[in-house]
Amino acid sequence: MDLSERGLTAGKLVDMKWKLGVAVCSDECKSLNSPFVAMTLKVADASGKISTHTFELTIPQFQNFSEQMKDMAARMEMI
Amino acid sequence: MATNAKNISALLTGLAKRNYYNEPEFTDEFLKSQIFPDLSDEAYATLLKRCSNYMKNLVSADMDFNQLEAFLTSQMKRREAAMTEEEASAYRKFWKVHKNKIHDTLVSKTNWNNSLKKVSWRIDVKSQSKSAENINEPSAIVELQIENPEESQKTEVVQFEMDESRLAHVLQNMKDIEDQIVQYCQQ
């Protein structure tokens, strides 16, 4: 079932934190040189209980996420 | 049995598959049986060690093609066990094909944190409510599928709702991140 078909009680996004880092090197690669975006989201459910969710994105993954948010905002404006 | 560019290339590809592309079926024994069936075990072991070490050098430094040429040239000038032109040609070919792929694999292998598997969203509009001010107020519903790399069966699903002002705040965060990426990263 995709999101449009499911009735759900979604929580509310109450906080978003981020950091931009670079993975410098690893045991297999002295020259990893790989930037990443780490994010932490706090979501409050209907009762006010807060859950925390973190994840890490490569730059292309972040850009895709960012594009989706922008698309969403553009659609909202049309309403 | 002579080593030439072709069989060295095949060995390098097999080693890459096992070491980097998560294809463990390409064992040393399998590779020997496929590529160097007539080579003595001792000679094969020496060759294997040589190729593995060279590959590790290339991968560890993520050599660009200038660095590769300099490296190959220096290896060909060695007094003992110098690299042959055939070998060099095999490494050039191998690196051209696999450099970026191996690097990307190593990058994703070193994210031990959760990754974002999927983003879905929809927009809801509240059409009726007790107090008239809420009519036609859109809200964005987002669903994130967050995957733990070590336990890929356990996907966490997070759903949340944002009104226009919360979404604007999120977009501002996105923009701040993008600005920092431009400033600090050569992309």
Side-chain angles (χ1 to χ4, degrees):
Chain A
M1 259 198 288
D2 76 21
L3 196 57
S4 61
E5 290 162 24
R6 263 182 286 161
L8 42 75
T9 44
K12 279 199 154 52
L13 180 69
V14 293
D15 194 22
M16 169 189 259
K17 290 203 176 334
W18 58 267
K19 80 178 179 209
L20 175 66
V22 178
V24 175
C25 56
S26 72
D27 56 310
E28 282 184 281
C29 185
K30 299 276 178 291
S31 184
L32 206 55
N33 218 28
S34 172
F36 61 88
V37 177
M39 291 185 119
T40 290
L41 305 180
K42 282 190 162 56
V43 176
D45 69 13
S47 73
K49 184 173 143 205
I50 301 204
S51 59
T52 303
H53 310 276
T54 64
F55 50 87
E56 197 173 295
L57 305 170
T58 62
I59 300 305
Q61 286 169 345
F62 163 74
Q63 282 161 344
N64 177 49
F65 183 47
S66 185
E67 275 311 300
Q68 302 246 31
M69 297 294 107
K70 286 177 193 164
D71 276 349
M72 208 163 62
R75 293 292 184 91
M76 266 175 108
E77 267 186 42
M78 292 191 231
I79 292 172
Chain B
M1 177 174 199
T3 56
N4 54 45
K6 193 168 169 208
N7 55 32
I8 300 223
S9 274
L11 182 60
L12 293 177
T13 302
L15 288 174
K17 286 187 180 186
R18 182 183 76 221
N19 294 335
Y20 303 114
Y21 303 150
N22 200 29
E23 293 177 62
E25 59 272 25
F26 289 87
T27 61
D28 290 345
E29 296 74 32
F30 175 72
L31 291 171
K32 181 179 192 302
S33 71
Q34 297 296 302
I35 309 167
F36 295 104
D38 302 327
L39 204 59
S40 75
D41 287 348
E42 207 180 294
Y44 179 66
T46 305
L47 178 64
L48 201 56
K49 192 169 171 193
R50 186 180 169 83
C51 289
S52 297
N53 285 340
Y54 279 140
M55 193 185 304
K56 278 196 189 123
N57 277 318
L58 267 56
V59 168
S60 189
D62 192 29
M63 288 185 198
D64 63 33
F65 293 96
N66 289 332
Q67 289 167 327
L68 177 70
E69 276 314 306
F71 178 72
L72 295 176
T73 304
S74 73
Q75 293 303 309
M76 287 194 277
K77 284 187 176 151
R78 280 170 58 176
R79 257 201 240 155
E80 280 188 49
M83 187 186 271
T84 64
E85 186 51 59
E86 289 276 308
E87 275 183 286
S89 138
Y91 286 100
R92 273 185 212 111
K93 189 174 155 204
F94 170 76
W95 203 230
K96 203 166 167 187
V97 173
H98 294 276
K99 175 191 185 311
N100 289 338
K101 201 172 159 191
I102 291 178
H103 191 79
D104 289 349
T105 302
L106 288 179
V107 165
S108 62
K109 265 167 86 174
T110 47
N111 178 14
W112 300 303
N113 297 317
N114 296 328
S115 60
L116 187 58
K117 194 168 154 191
K118 191 177 175 200
V119 180
S120 315
W121 57 267
R122 71 164 200 252
I123 295 171
D124 280 2
V125 181
K126 291 194 190 97
S127 55
Q128 283 187 39
S129 83
K130 200 171 173 188
S131 59
E133 302 124 48
N134 286 342
I135 288 176
N136 285 341
E137 186 188 287
S139 67
I141 316 279
V142 175
E143 179 181 276
L144 304 179
Q145 284 184 27
I146 295 173
E147 187 176 67
N148 184 305
E150 305 300 305
E151 302 167 73
S152 52
Q153 296 83 14
K154 281 169 123 201
T155 299
E156 201 190 339
V157 178
V158 185
Q159 290 161 356
F160 56 85
E161 186 182 332
M162 296 187 278
D163 60 22
E164 282 184 284
S165 83
R166 174 54 71 176
L167 178 56
H169 188 71
V170 166
L171 288 176
Q172 184 56 53
N173 270 318
M174 302 282 121
K175 173 145 200 323
D176 290 344
I177 298 172
E178 275 161 25
D179 290 344
Q180 294 305 313
I181 289 172
V182 165
Q183 188 174 351
Y184 286 107
C185 310
Q186 325 141 273
Q187 287 297 313

